[in-house]
Amino acid sequence: MRIIFLGTGGYHPSERRHTAGVFLPELGIALDAGSGFFRAQQHLRQKTLDIFLTHSHLDHICGLTFFLVPVLDGTVENVRVHGSSETISAVREHLFAPAIFPVMPPFEWLELNTESKVPLAQDGVLSCIKLEHPGGSLGFRLDWPDRSLAYITDTTAPGEYLPFIKDVDVLIHECYFPDELGDLAAKTGHSASTEVAKIARESRAKRVYLVHTDPQRSDDDPVGLEAMRNIYSPIELVEDQQEIVL
């Protein structure tokens, strides 16, 4: 089961990183649809695509507008967009407002809440948890009989979601700020390096992949990776279009 990182940055795209998006092509599952979502089309393997949105901030939803053509030309027959009621309302009313985007795509809109248990292919299930972030956000956990994945972005570590991500095989977690800018984390609803490393250690995740980094930083190590690995070694900073196997 492949995981493709369509976009690994936050806020706005840069020369190095597009904004949030993770794709599981064999299952037809996308987690968020940021500016890197245009890359999903080349990886499609299914006629049905399920897109799970953490929240409605623009860097996580703008890519939905890029997906009209694959629906209209029949490359994909059904697109289901999952999100909280607030997220779905914001996307439909604002992103697809006629003055902004003149065609409402024929997507199916499905509401999520913390009681949701969404069946996935290969006997999997997706569950979600509320995260602390301005305007609200959701974290996702995907479980199959033999593997698991958690996706936590746009929140401040540490948080009350630790039990939710315990013992996952793969943890994808935001790391927007290096420690020297940690004072901005609580102000903006994002996470800084050391606290992410600590919660990764407490989660006992087998592998940890960092996303949603600061687009102002284009260097190879915008988060202080060596110091994070001194706290918990199985941590990697991923790049756009990188693939891993779950």
Side-chain angles (χ1 to χ4, degrees):
M1 185 184 300
R2 289 184 300 150
I3 299 174
I4 303 172
F5 293 90
L6 302 178
T8 58
Y11 183 27
H12 63 74
S14 67
E15 295 293 341
R16 184 165 186 165
R17 299 177 186 275
H18 276 276
T19 66
V22 174
F23 194 42
L24 286 72
E26 285 79 17
L27 303 183
I29 294 173
L31 307 177
D32 280 333
S35 64
F37 198 60
F38 71 92
R39 294 169 169 152
Q41 186 171 351
Q42 65 185 298
H43 299 293
L44 290 171
R45 299 292 182 271
Q46 310 287 335
K47 286 291 188 178
T48 295
L49 176 63
D50 285 281
I51 305 170
F52 294 90
L53 300 176
T54 55
H55 62 306
S56 59
H57 286 173
L58 196 58
D59 54 333
H60 293 255
I61 65 169
C62 63
L64 292 173
T65 63
F66 308 158
F67 215 71
L68 180 62
V69 172
V71 176
L72 296 182
D73 69 12
T75 302
V76 174
E77 296 175 353
N78 188 24
V79 176
R80 299 186 292 236
V81 180
H82 307 253
S84 68
S85 59
E86 295 84 2
T87 292
I88 289 175
S89 293
V91 170
R92 297 188 66 177
E93 294 173 16
H94 301 292
L95 185 66
F96 290 116
I100 295 175
F101 196 82
V103 180
M104 174 65 77
F107 296 163
E108 184 178 355
W109 306 92
L110 300 172
E111 291 187 8
L112 290 174
N113 58 55
T114 55
E115 303 300 319
S116 297
K117 300 291 182 183
V118 182
L120 306 174
Q122 301 184 14
D123 296 321
V125 62
L126 178 143
S127 52
C128 55
I129 189 171
K130 286 185 177 181
L131 301 175
E132 291 295 325
H133 188 64
S137 186
L138 293 175
F140 299 134
R141 177 168 177 145
L142 293 73
D143 286 285
W144 292 270
D146 60 344
R147 66 196 79 183
S148 57
L149 161 69
Y151 178 66
I152 304 293
T153 185
D154 285 47
T155 195
T156 302
E160 296 180 359
Y161 56 90
L162 176 59
F164 183 76
I165 63 174
K166 278 282 190 179
D167 300 311
V168 292
D169 292 298
V170 167
L171 171 62
I172 301 171
H173 200 293
E174 78 136 87
C175 192
Y176 195 95
F177 292 106
D179 283 340
E180 59 265 29
L181 297 177
D183 60 319
L184 295 176
K187 294 179 181 179
T188 61
H190 289 290
S191 296
S193 302
T194 292
E195 295 303 330
V196 172
K198 287 179 179 178
I199 203 163
R201 180 184 62 194
E202 293 299 314
S203 76
R204 300 193 298 265
K206 294 182 177 66
R207 291 181 283 160
V208 182
Y209 298 95
L210 306 179
V211 295
H212 206 283
T213 58
D214 185 352
Q216 307 298 323
R217 297 282 298 269
S218 61
D219 51 301
D220 290 338
D221 185 10
V223 296
L225 195 57
E226 183 178 353
M228 295 183 74
R229 285 175 170 164
N230 287 335
I231 297 171
Y232 195 59
S233 60
I235 293 179
E236 182 178 342
L237 175 67
V238 288
E239 299 283 343
D240 281 21
Q241 303 194 74
Q242 185 172 334
E243 297 188 20
I244 65 170
V245 176
L246 175 62

